[in-house]
Amino acid sequence: MAKHLHEMIVFSEDFSLINSPAFYDCVVHVICTEGTASFLYKDRLFTLSKNEIAVISRPQLVTEIHLDEIFRCEYIAAPDKFLHNLLPANNYAIQGCVSLFDNPIIKVNDLDAGRFRTDLANIRNRIDNIDHRFYQELMGSLLQTMVYDLFDFHAKTNDNILTTDRVGYITAQFFTLIEGGRPKTQREVSHYADQLNVTPKYLSDTIKRVTGTSVSTHINSAATAIALEYLKDNTMSVTQIADEMNFSSLSYFSRFCVKHIGMSPSKFRTVGAKKH
């Protein structure tokens, strides 16, 4: 049975739960109000300190959470699909999402921190107002206000992020392919260029200009996250994972892991087993 919207929007102050399975289809919007937290996101280390906001679009990729003794935070987790329909109808929505996917941290001043906490409070105070005849529209308007404020905060330090409609479209479609899991089996730039009816050079130049990061880096980052999920699940052998991910050989998969994870697949599993 499908969940009601009010069951999928969650307010919490427990940062340690942001990567729980309940949030896997959600985007988490968290602000630190005191202290410092550190965590790995897509296997990159980030810190979150007072008056910093994190927009985490794939909370299942958050690991190694460490909180200091005075750390405090507030966050809203809301369904990704619902939020997607609320995004501003302009290019900043595309480029802002791309930028935040690469670096989820936004530093804000005291005034904007207070504004964001007000946004969270307004959402929290209406989550259970399910007898409202226009509940979905009500929550949508409150979440949209939060989204617009987030883009405003982000734009203040990213003045040059806006691009042409053509560039915005290509960028959005590229990341749709990436987030759809295509790098599991397709890791050549030419594949994505063919899918988007552009040349590999045009795609490479566009993505590099918009995100500051190469197409290959985005593809390999997504493929690495997929490989890590497989390696953490011992039900498949390393050889089976290499086949599932369409690597031409086990040795090629091993070289990929050494380059992008920092160790071979077998060593990763050995280290992981020792940790547990």
Side-chain angles (χ1 to χ4, degrees):
M1 181 180 296
K3 289 184 177 181
H4 190 277
L5 180 61
H6 89 275
E7 298 177 285
M8 297 185 286
I9 301 175
V10 177
F11 173 86
S12 179
E13 298 176 346
D14 190 345
F15 190 82
S16 66
L17 296 179
I18 67 167
N19 58 358
S20 63
F23 296 155
Y24 281 6
D25 294 322
C26 293
V27 180
V28 177
H29 308 80
V30 54
I31 183 167
C32 173
T33 57
E34 200 67 51
T36 301
S38 66
F39 58 95
L40 294 182
Y41 183 49
K42 299 176 296 175
D43 293 290
R44 291 169 56 196
L45 179 64
F46 292 96
T47 60
L48 184 66
S49 302
K50 185 175 180 179
N51 282 6
E52 289 184 338
I53 298 168
V55 181
I56 302 174
S57 59
R58 297 181 68 185
Q60 62 268 39
L61 299 183
V62 174
T63 60
E64 303 293 331
I65 297 172
H66 298 285
L67 315 175
D68 68 20
E69 293 182 357
I70 63 170
F71 178 78
R72 298 289 184 275
C73 74
E74 299 174 358
Y75 64 84
I76 287 286
D80 181 39
K81 289 183 178 179
F82 186 70
L83 288 169
H84 182 76
N85 293 327
L86 305 175
L87 290 177
N90 56 48
N91 286 327
Y92 199 92
I94 298 169
Q95 318 316 338
C97 287
V98 168
S99 179
L100 287 169
F101 183 72
D102 185 59
N103 179 3
I105 307 297
I106 306 172
K107 176 69 176 179
V108 297
N109 56 35
D110 288 339
L111 179 63
D112 286 343
R115 182 179 302 159
F116 186 70
R117 292 186 69 186
T118 297
D119 290 340
L120 297 187
N122 289 338
I123 296 167
R124 176 193 61 200
N125 292 338
R126 303 304 293 270
I127 289 175
D128 294 327
N129 192 190
I130 58 175
D131 59 340
H132 196 292
R133 293 191 178 187
F134 303 96
Y135 179 81
Q136 184 160 314
E137 292 80 3
L138 170 68
M139 297 309 299
S141 68
L142 295 173
L143 286 163
Q144 189 176 55
T145 298
M146 178 189 73
V147 168
Y148 272 106
D149 278 342
L150 282 169
F151 280 128
D152 176 60
F153 305 155
H154 188 257
K156 290 174 181 176
T157 53
N158 293 271
D159 291 333
N160 299 319
I161 203 167
L162 291 175
T163 61
T164 67
D165 288 341
R166 170 68 171 167
V167 169
Y169 174 79
I170 292 298
T171 303
Q173 293 303 307
F174 171 71
F175 279 95
T176 295
L177 293 173
I178 291 290
E179 293 175 12
R182 192 67 64 96
K184 173 183 173 181
T185 58
Q186 302 290 343
R187 291 171 291 277
E188 297 296 327
V189 174
S190 58
H191 169 80
Y192 295 87
D194 288 344
Q195 293 295 305
L196 299 171
N197 295 313
V198 297
T199 66
K201 184 179 187 306
Y202 179 87
L203 180 61
S204 297
D205 291 346
T206 298
I207 299 302
K208 179 68 173 180
R209 186 166 74 252
V210 171
T211 71
T213 304
S214 71
V215 169
S216 294
T217 297
H218 287 295
I219 295 170
N220 289 328
S221 177
T224 300
I226 293 169
L228 285 168
E229 289 302 309
Y230 276 126
L231 289 170
K232 292 173 184 177
D233 180 357
N234 290 318
T235 59
M236 293 178 68
S237 69
V238 174
T239 300
Q240 287 174 319
I241 296 171
D243 289 341
E244 183 74 13
M245 295 188 68
N246 199 32
F247 281 92
S248 57
S249 66
L250 179 58
S251 61
Y252 183 22
F253 178 55
S254 295
R255 290 196 299 273
F256 178 88
C257 291
V258 170
K259 181 177 180 179
H260 297 287
I261 298 176
M263 62 185 77
S264 68
S266 56
K267 183 175 181 180
F268 178 85
R269 281 190 160 170
T270 301
V271 171
K274 288 180 179 179
K275 286 184 178 180
H276 294 88

